[in-house]
PDB file of all heavy atoms in Angstrom:
ATOM      1  N   LYS A 335      29.837 -18.303  26.796  1.00 55.00           N
ATOM      2  CA  LYS A 335      29.690 -17.249  27.801  1.00 55.00           C
ATOM      3  C   LYS A 335      30.537 -17.528  29.039  1.00 55.00           C
ATOM      4  O   LYS A 335      30.693 -16.682  29.892  1.00 55.00           O
ATOM      5  CB  LYS A 335      28.220 -17.090  28.185  1.00 55.00           C
ATOM      6  CG  LYS A 335      27.456 -16.411  27.062  1.00 55.00           C
ATOM      7  CD  LYS A 335      25.992 -16.342  27.307  1.00 55.00           C
ATOM      8  CE  LYS A 335      25.318 -17.672  27.144  1.00 55.00           C
ATOM      9  NZ  LYS A 335      25.497 -18.270  25.810  1.00 55.00           N
ATOM     10  N   ALA A 336      31.089 -18.775  29.147  1.00 52.00           N
ATOM     11  CA  ALA A 336      31.984 -19.050  30.281  1.00 52.00           C
ATOM     12  C   ALA A 336      33.289 -18.296  30.038  1.00 52.00           C
ATOM     13  O   ALA A 336      33.705 -18.093  28.903  1.00 52.00           O
ATOM     14  CB  ALA A 336      32.242 -20.551  30.378  1.00 52.00           C
ATOM     15  N   ARG A 337      33.913 -17.841  31.095  1.00 61.00           N
ATOM     16  CA  ARG A 337      35.242 -17.203  30.954  1.00 61.00           C
ATOM     17  C   ARG A 337      36.163 -17.942  31.893  1.00 61.00           C
ATOM     18  O   ARG A 337      35.915 -17.979  33.102  1.00 61.00           O
ATOM     19  CB  ARG A 337      35.213 -15.738  31.370  1.00 61.00           C
ATOM     20  CG  ARG A 337      34.204 -14.913  30.632  1.00 61.00           C
ATOM     21  CD  ARG A 337      34.861 -13.975  29.629  1.00 61.00           C
ATOM     22  NE  ARG A 337      33.846 -13.438  28.739  1.00 61.00           N
ATOM     23  CZ  ARG A 337      33.389 -12.194  28.778  1.00 61.00           C
ATOM     24  NH1 ARG A 337      33.869 -11.350  29.648  1.00 61.00           N
ATOM     25  NH2 ARG A 337      32.472 -11.800  27.942  1.00 61.00           N
ATOM     26  N   GLY A 338      37.270 -18.545  31.368  1.00 66.00           N
ATOM     27  CA  GLY A 338      38.122 -19.345  32.219  1.00 66.00           C
ATOM     28  C   GLY A 338      37.284 -20.484  32.777  1.00 66.00           C
ATOM     29  O   GLY A 338      36.473 -21.082  32.076  1.00 66.00           O
ATOM     30  N   SER A 339      37.439 -20.763  34.078  1.00 71.00           N
ATOM     31  CA  SER A 339      36.688 -21.892  34.631  1.00 71.00           C
ATOM     32  C   SER A 339      35.420 -21.425  35.344  1.00 71.00           C
ATOM     33  O   SER A 339      34.689 -22.230  35.904  1.00 71.00           O
ATOM     34  CB  SER A 339      37.581 -22.680  35.585  1.00 71.00           C
ATOM     35  OG  SER A 339      38.006 -21.801  36.600  1.00 71.00           O
ATOM     36  N   LEU A 340      35.176 -20.093  35.356  1.00 84.00           N
ATOM     37  CA  LEU A 340      34.016 -19.583  36.093  1.00 84.00           C
ATOM     38  C   LEU A 340      32.778 -19.529  35.200  1.00 84.00           C
ATOM     39  O   LEU A 340      32.820 -19.002  34.094  1.00 84.00           O
ATOM     40  CB  LEU A 340      34.286 -18.148  36.576  1.00 84.00           C
ATOM     41  CG  LEU A 340      35.177 -17.968  37.787  1.00 84.00           C
ATOM     42  CD1 LEU A 340      35.225 -16.496  38.169  1.00 84.00           C
ATOM     43  CD2 LEU A 340      34.670 -18.811  38.962  1.00 84.00           C
ATOM     44  N   LEU A 341      31.674 -20.077  35.700  1.00 92.00           N
ATOM     45  CA  LEU A 341      30.419 -19.920  34.965  1.00 92.00           C
ATOM     46  C   LEU A 341      29.885 -18.519  35.201  1.00 92.00           C
ATOM     47  O   LEU A 341      29.956 -18.006  36.314  1.00 92.00           O
ATOM     48  CB  LEU A 341      29.386 -20.927  35.464  1.00 92.00           C
ATOM     49  CG  LEU A 341      29.556 -22.375  35.032  1.00 92.00           C
ATOM     50  CD1 LEU A 341      28.365 -23.184  35.506  1.00 92.00           C
ATOM     51  CD2 LEU A 341      29.682 -22.468  33.526  1.00 92.00           C
ATOM     52  N   ARG A 342      29.355 -17.906  34.147  1.00 92.00           N
ATOM     53  CA  ARG A 342      28.793 -16.559  34.261  1.00 92.00           C
ATOM     54  C   ARG A 342      27.331 -16.614  33.840  1.00 92.00           C
ATOM     55  O   ARG A 342      27.004 -17.208  32.823  1.00 92.00           O
ATOM     56  CB  ARG A 342      29.497 -15.601  33.292  1.00 92.00           C
ATOM     57  CG  ARG A 342      30.889 -15.218  33.648  1.00 92.00           C
ATOM     58  CD  ARG A 342      31.668 -14.797  32.411  1.00 92.00           C
ATOM     59  NE  ARG A 342      31.029 -13.728  31.649  1.00 92.00           N
ATOM     60  CZ  ARG A 342      31.075 -12.444  31.970  1.00 92.00           C
ATOM     61  NH1 ARG A 342      31.737 -12.058  33.054  1.00 92.00           N
ATOM     62  NH2 ARG A 342      30.486 -11.533  31.229  1.00 92.00           N
ATOM     63  N   PHE A 343      26.491 -16.001  34.629  1.00 96.00           N
ATOM     64  CA  PHE A 343      25.067 -15.975  34.297  1.00 96.00           C
ATOM     65  C   PHE A 343      24.586 -14.534  34.281  1.00 96.00           C
ATOM     66  O   PHE A 343      24.962 -13.742  35.159  1.00 96.00           O
ATOM     67  CB  PHE A 343      24.244 -16.709  35.357  1.00 96.00           C
ATOM     68  CG  PHE A 343      24.502 -18.192  35.405  1.00 96.00           C
ATOM     69  CD1 PHE A 343      25.515 -18.701  36.205  1.00 96.00           C
ATOM     70  CD2 PHE A 343      23.742 -19.060  34.647  1.00 96.00           C
ATOM     71  CE1 PHE A 343      25.757 -20.060  36.243  1.00 96.00           C
ATOM     72  CE2 PHE A 343      23.974 -20.431  34.690  1.00 96.00           C
ATOM     73  CZ  PHE A 343      24.993 -20.928  35.491  1.00 96.00           C
ATOM     74  N   VAL A 344      23.708 -14.215  33.327  1.00 97.00           N
ATOM     75  CA  VAL A 344      22.937 -12.988  33.464  1.00 97.00           C
ATOM     76  C   VAL A 344      21.818 -13.344  34.435  1.00 97.00           C
ATOM     77  O   VAL A 344      21.132 -14.365  34.252  1.00 97.00           O
ATOM     78  CB  VAL A 344      22.324 -12.564  32.108  1.00 97.00           C
ATOM     79  CG1 VAL A 344      21.514 -11.283  32.276  1.00 97.00           C
ATOM     80  CG2 VAL A 344      23.396 -12.406  31.051  1.00 97.00           C
ATOM     81  N   VAL A 345      21.659 -12.562  35.490  1.00 98.00           N
ATOM     82  CA  VAL A 345      20.581 -12.814  36.462  1.00 98.00           C
ATOM     83  C   VAL A 345      19.788 -11.520  36.630  1.00 98.00           C
ATOM     84  O   VAL A 345      20.231 -10.443  36.224  1.00 98.00           O
ATOM     85  CB  VAL A 345      21.123 -13.250  37.855  1.00 98.00           C
ATOM     86  CG1 VAL A 345      21.728 -14.630  37.794  1.00 98.00           C
ATOM     87  CG2 VAL A 345      22.094 -12.234  38.411  1.00 98.00           C
TER      88      VAL A 345
END
Side-chain angles (χ1 to χ4, degrees):
K335 287 174 286 302
R337 304 253 167 107
S339 59
L340 283 185
L341 285 186
R342 288 156 55 79
F343 293 89
V344 180
V345 291

